[in-house]
Amino acid sequence: MDTADFTLAQARAHDRKRWLWPMGFGIILIVAAVALTGWLTGLTPLMFAGPITVYLLVPLLDLAIGKDSTNPPERVLDILEDDPFYRYSTYIYVLVQMALFIGVCTIVGTQDLTGWQWLGFVSTIGMLSGISINTAHELGHKNTVVESWLAKIALAPVAYGHFYVEHNYGHHRRVATPEDPASARMGESFWAFLPRTVVGSVRSAWHIEARRLARRGRPVWSLHNEVLQAWAMTALLWGTLLLVFGLALLPFLIVQAMLGASLLEAVNYAEHYGLLRARRADGRYERCRPEHSWNNDHIVTNIFLFHLQRHSDHHAHPTRRYQSLRHFDEAPELPTGYAGMIVLAYFPPLWYRVMDPRVLAHYQGDLRRANLQPGARARLLSQYPPPA
């Protein structure tokens, strides 16, 4: 074994989850297989494998299996970054997701399904479409042509291509500030956050591209517009499916896209809830630090989402690949993985009961330092008076 091979072997040994990462696409294959089995056997409840997995099985497995807070040593990070094994796991994920999406659309477009069967398929593929946005997120931060286009392809089924632009050039600049449509405010329910972030993200992405193209002397309505590129991929995909299977497929496409987008935004809701970057003397916000993201090290959801829950390091190093993201002790910690937090987000009273005390503790009892919902500010400061 030469020196280079030995170094690579050493680096791989420091990733305790190395052989679990392919389960990112392995899990969606299992979920799809269960849903298809339910359709073929008439066991219709199995067709709801997507929501059952996301909302029940993964949170329970997170609690049962626990956390992994180990970090790879700094000396092996560059070697792990260059290991193609990790890239291939995300590439294969996109191919598997597209095959499953087209396959389920073929069934829905050609078979006579009962109402419950239709709901089973649309809820399951909606969950898988939402999870695929996270894979697009991982790919979209990488500076290669292949990964950039794979990110846009992964966003096509869920019609959320503007995310590619807004997340990279909007959210990462404005994260944990009141100006960011993807940073939830304390006292803001998920159901209030959802329309704000959806509309705000589309508007932000368009303005970002318009400014970029204006600087380059190009018209906004052109093939150079990356928002239009991503939306065109959805139009091509959906248009082809509708041409082949008819307009009766359109409600299925719309509903699964809405479910997928809402799943992404539920994760966004949890990632920065109530956290705020302070303003400096010059009026600008301080640099984003680990304490401006909610983190979690539960293993199952981290495998499911390619380490998205190590969100602080992601914001510190946006181009760093998922296998190299590190745990920070100073980052605020969610009580469970994102999957469990999504369930809580759907029930605002439960969410507030669990998360508001954590925001309060994070700011040592002074909510004036938190990102508060304007309409709830007076009530929150009255409920939790700042220290003298």
Side-chain angles (χ1 to χ4, degrees):
M1 182 182 293
D2 62 29
T3 304
D5 288 338
F6 182 73
T7 304
L8 179 59
Q10 284 184 319
R12 289 173 172 174
H14 283 289
D15 182 6
R16 296 168 56 181
K17 298 187 285 287
R18 175 177 173 79
W19 297 109
L20 294 176
W21 295 119
M23 283 304 296
F25 61 82
I27 291 171
I28 66 170
L29 277 171
I30 293 170
V31 168
V34 172
L36 289 171
T37 299
W39 172 58
L40 292 171
T41 62
L43 297 173
T44 304
L46 293 180
M47 298 178 68
F48 292 84
I52 290 171
T53 299
V54 171
Y55 297 138
L56 182 62
L57 295 182
V58 171
L60 290 177
L61 287 171
D62 265 339
L63 294 175
I65 295 175
K67 301 180 180 181
D68 173 23
S69 299
T70 59
N71 290 330
E74 290 289 334
R75 66 181 181 275
V76 305
L77 290 182
D78 289 341
I79 302 170
L80 286 177
E81 287 278 310
D82 292 335
D83 189 343
F85 170 83
Y86 299 97
R87 294 198 301 275
Y88 295 156
S89 291
T90 55
Y91 297 176
I92 294 171
Y93 186 104
V94 177
L95 298 177
V96 168
Q97 168 63 12
M98 287 301 298
L100 293 177
F101 178 78
I102 293 172
V104 171
C105 286
T106 300
I107 295 172
V108 174
T110 59
Q111 302 299 310
D112 186 17
L113 302 177
T114 68
W116 284 109
Q117 288 175 326
W118 190 92
L119 285 173
F121 270 140
V122 79
S123 63
T124 290
I125 206 66
M127 295 295 102
L128 300 187
S129 293
I131 296 165
S132 72
I133 299 178
N134 174 67
T135 308
H137 164 264
E138 170 66 23
L139 291 163
H141 276 292
K142 305 305 175 284
N143 298 318
T144 71
V145 174
V146 170
E147 287 167 303
S148 294
W149 279 104
L150 281 175
K152 295 172 187 175
I153 291 171
L155 292 166
V158 78
Y160 227 59
H162 60 277
F163 174 82
Y164 175 85
V165 170
E166 201 289 321
H167 179 84
N168 289 340
Y169 306 108
H171 173 64
H172 271 262
R173 181 170 59 86
R174 298 181 300 231
V175 62
T177 70
E179 291 79 23
D180 181 27
S183 292
R185 303 154 180 167
M186 183 178 177
E188 180 181 31
S189 74
F190 169 69
W191 304 110
F193 171 77
L194 183 59
R196 179 174 76 84
T197 189
V198 170
V199 174
S201 294
V202 173
R203 184 185 295 123
S204 172
W206 188 260
H207 288 166
I208 289 168
E209 271 303 271
R211 290 194 298 268
R212 183 182 72 85
L213 292 170
R215 288 195 300 269
R216 299 187 177 189
R218 290 172 173 167
V220 67
W221 292 98
S222 70
L223 292 177
H224 300 288
N225 187 321
E226 292 197 278
V227 174
L228 292 179
Q229 289 175 11
W231 286 349
M233 297 188 76
T234 294
L236 177 63
L237 176 63
W238 284 27
T240 302
L241 291 169
L242 293 173
L243 185 65
V244 174
F245 302 116
L247 284 175
L249 185 63
L250 185 58
F252 179 87
L253 294 174
I254 293 173
V255 173
Q256 65 85 29
M258 292 173 62
L259 290 173
S262 68
L263 191 66
L264 163 77
E265 298 302 354
V267 171
N268 275 341
Y269 179 73
E271 286 173 339
H272 306 283
Y273 177 79
L275 302 179
L276 180 65
R277 288 154 57 196
R279 284 191 183 274
R280 303 183 309 201
D282 61 4
R284 297 183 179 183
Y285 288 105
E286 65 179 326
R287 183 178 179 181
C288 185
R289 299 197 305 270
E291 55 264 36
H292 297 128
S293 302
W294 291 99
N295 280 14
N296 188 267
D297 278 327
H298 278 92
I299 295 173
V300 177
T301 302
N302 262 330
I303 294 298
F304 210 37
L305 298 179
F306 292 113
H307 253 167
L308 180 66
Q309 297 177 142
R310 292 192 168 184
H311 211 59
S312 292
D313 200 16
H314 168 67
H315 273 278
H317 304 93
T319 61
R320 176 168 285 172
R321 295 186 182 274
Y322 64 92
Q323 67 271 19
S324 303
L325 294 176
R326 299 161 299 168
H327 163 85
F328 288 103
D329 289 334
E330 63 267 35
E333 188 80 4
L334 292 171
T336 187
Y338 285 172
M341 298 309 297
I342 290 170
V343 178
L344 278 181
Y346 293 159
F347 302 96
L350 292 177
W351 175 271
Y352 297 146
R353 181 175 296 183
V354 170
M355 286 303 298
D356 285 4
R358 283 174 167 79
V359 177
L360 184 69
H362 180 63
Y363 288 111
Q364 293 83 46
D366 190 354
L367 286 186
R368 292 172 299 185
R369 298 165 55 198
N371 188 6
L372 302 180
Q373 176 76 338
R377 184 177 185 86
R379 174 182 61 81
L380 289 169
L381 292 177
S382 175
Q383 183 178 356
Y384 305 106

